Amino acid sequence: MKSVLIGVGQAGGKLSRELVEFDERMGFGAVRGAVAVNTAQADLSSLPFETVLVGQDRVKGQGVGGDNELGAEVMQSDIREVLSALDGRIGAETESIFVVAGLGGGTGSGGAPVVAKELKRIYDVPVYGLGILPGRDEGSMYQVNAGRSLKTFAREADSLLLVDNDAFRSAGESVTEGFDSINREIAKRVGLLLAAGESVEGVAESVVDSSEIINTLRNGSIAALGYAAADAAPEAEENINAVMSTTRRALLTGSSLPDATDADAALVVVAGEQDAVPRKGVERARRWVEEETGSLQVRGGDFPLSSDRIAVLILLGGIERSERLDDFMQRAKEAQEQEATAEAKPDNPGDVWANDDLDNLL
Ligand code: GDP
């Protein structure tokens, strides 16, 4: 799926760079350009693509210091500059636009929903968010910012693909130490998904295409992406069990949003050497994902790739009712209220989602 990236804020820029580099290294050609936008000059200087500094009149290139309302305001004021940097990069071949940001900070948190909203007014292609949730041990400002941003970004984008910063952490590693490895994990998942929609090598019997990604994401406003890989035997028949166990790991331990398995739709992509991917295994994996997610809209397909491994990628669409998200929104709400004691959870998961306690940003 040919996509253009807009990285907003520090995390957005760094993750976009990781995505561009992964796509180049793998020779996929699915990432068709990237632009980074920030209020902090210093965070833009190391990025190898076009950058736009916004809010110069207000913050003089120094950043918004975690104030996401200011982040939203300056983005709105300077939106023309952002849109003109994108002009010419988004063309007839572009199939989707990704607005990439960390939701806990200021510029990305406030600015990304504004960018998504404006892009949707102009372009017909889907505008997706790729949003990073702060880890549990990040301070309350990050949780509140992310809660408000999440609510607004999910409303403005066609779908918001979420990554929890706690998802890929190794034991003993702080969130900050782990950023680079987290970014690599995210880039691998998203990069493979975009490339799967391109199907670059050979012609498989049931290759995935962009419309399947789009249709999966059409269901609901929040999405997640799971991944796992294992060594493969040369013959497809020998890999049925490997596909099944890799599928389980991709969903249960390899997701960008752990424990969010209740979904409205899903796409299961099995990547590997064409002769090594068992059709029966793909179908079995698809059915298992149907049971596990409770969705009857689970698509399955393969992604021919020269590798001695088999990888399984699971895109979940419409996961907003999951307990994991309720937990996060609850965390954000509690942080906002500055309460030490946890409040009772709503009886019906999903209610928190519709709460009025967290203000929309826009
Ligand atoms: P902004 O520049 O004001 O938008 O702020 P940041 O992009 O630094 O956003 C802060 C949030 O993003 C925090 O929750 C951080 O944990 C997270 N973050 C910052 N940099 C990275 C990164 O490189 N990778 C990941 N995964 N998260 C990051």
Side-chain angles (χ1 to χ4, degrees):
M1 182 158 76
K2 296 179 184 65
S3 303
V4 172
L5 315 175
I6 299 122
V8 189
Q10 187 192 347
K14 279 160 64 190
L15 182 52
S16 297
R17 179 179 62 199
E18 203 63 48
L19 273 157
V20 166
E21 287 173 359
F22 179 81
D23 187 77
E24 277 173 5
R25 210 161 51 238
M26 299 295 286
F28 288 147
V31 175
R32 291 304 173 111
V35 171
V37 187
N38 210 327
T39 56
Q41 176 108 56
D43 292 337
L44 290 175
S45 54
S46 60
L47 299 174
F49 34 75
E50 185 171 351
T51 60
V52 183
L53 183 65
V54 290
Q56 284 187 73
D57 53 334
R58 303 276 297 271
V59 301
K60 309 197 163 32
Q62 301 296 313
V64 296
D67 181 344
N68 65 351
E69 288 186 12
L70 183 56
E73 273 171 44
V74 301
M75 191 63 73
Q76 196 69 65
S77 306
D78 289 350
I79 195 71
R80 277 167 191 275
E81 285 175 54
V82 178
L83 295 175
S84 62
L86 287 166
D87 219 16
R89 280 169 212 278
I90 300 168
E93 58 155 34
T94 310
E95 292 169 289
S96 77
I97 307 172
F98 275 82
V99 182
V100 186
L103 304 187
T107 305
S109 176
V114 174
V115 173
K117 181 181 180 181
E118 295 295 330
L119 289 172
K120 275 194 62 74
R121 287 174 53 187
I122 300 173
Y123 298 102
D124 288 332
V125 294
V127 175
Y128 298 126
L130 175 57
I132 303 166
L133 288 181
R136 262 168 217 284
D137 52 10
E138 292 189 48
S140 62
M141 178 199 82
Y142 292 92
Q143 314 297 341
V144 174
N145 282 356
R148 293 183 67 191
S149 179
L150 171 56
K151 205 176 157 187
T152 316
F153 204 2
R155 188 189 69 199
E156 299 302 339
D158 285 295
S159 182
L160 174 57
L161 182 52
L162 279 185
V163 177
D164 187 335
N165 254 346
D166 282 334
F168 310 114
R169 250 163 91 185
S170 318
E173 194 179 52
S174 76
V175 173
T176 318
E177 282 165 354
F179 278 164
D180 289 345
S181 54
I182 293 171
N183 293 352
R184 278 196 296 276
E185 287 294 330
I186 306 169
K188 184 166 63 185
R189 281 166 174 73
V190 177
L192 279 169
L193 179 73
L194 299 182
E198 290 286 284
S199 92
V200 281
E201 281 172 41
V203 181
E205 285 176 40
S206 56
V207 283
V208 175
D209 66 33
S210 300
S211 67
E212 286 166 298
I213 299 173
I214 292 168
N215 286 333
T216 303
L217 291 173
R218 189 167 283 149
N219 292 272
S221 51
I222 306 278
L225 194 51
Y227 169 89
D231 288 337
E235 297 297 323
E237 283 296 306
E238 299 168 67
N239 289 325
I240 296 176
N241 288 342
V243 167
M244 278 310 295
S245 60
T246 310
T247 301
R248 284 190 212 104
R249 282 195 294 123
L251 187 67
L252 302 179
T253 61
S255 175
S256 66
L257 195 67
D259 302 330
T261 51
D262 193 355
D264 287 338
L267 173 65
V268 182
V269 181
V270 182
E273 209 65 67
Q274 204 170 329
D275 294 339
V277 175
R279 194 94 324 101
K280 220 188 264 176
V282 177
E283 178 50 23
R284 222 180 262 179
R286 196 192 64 75
R287 268 188 272 125
W288 179 82
V289 171
E290 248 175 27
E291 278 167 32
E292 210 51 37
T293 57
S295 165
L296 291 175
Q297 289 191 68
V298 180
R299 301 165 178 86
D302 27 307
F303 173 21
L305 197 67
S306 50
S307 170
D308 51 5
R309 287 168 76 74
I310 275 188
V312 176
L313 200 60
I314 303 177
L315 176 66
L316 299 178
I319 55 165
E320 46 273 21
R321 284 188 317 279
S322 77
E323 293 220 5
R324 178 69 168 202
L325 264 182
D326 276 336
D327 283 348
F328 174 75
M329 292 307 270
Q330 198 77 12
R331 205 197 309 168
K333 192 177 133 193
E334 282 162 15
Q336 178 160 293
E337 294 168 354
Q338 300 280 300
E339 279 181 9
T341 46
E343 281 187 39
K345 284 180 62 177
D347 296 337
N348 184 12
D351 284 358
V352 167
W353 194 244
N355 77 66
D356 296 323
D357 302 318
L358 284 167
D359 301 328
N360 273 306
L361 264 171
L362 309 180

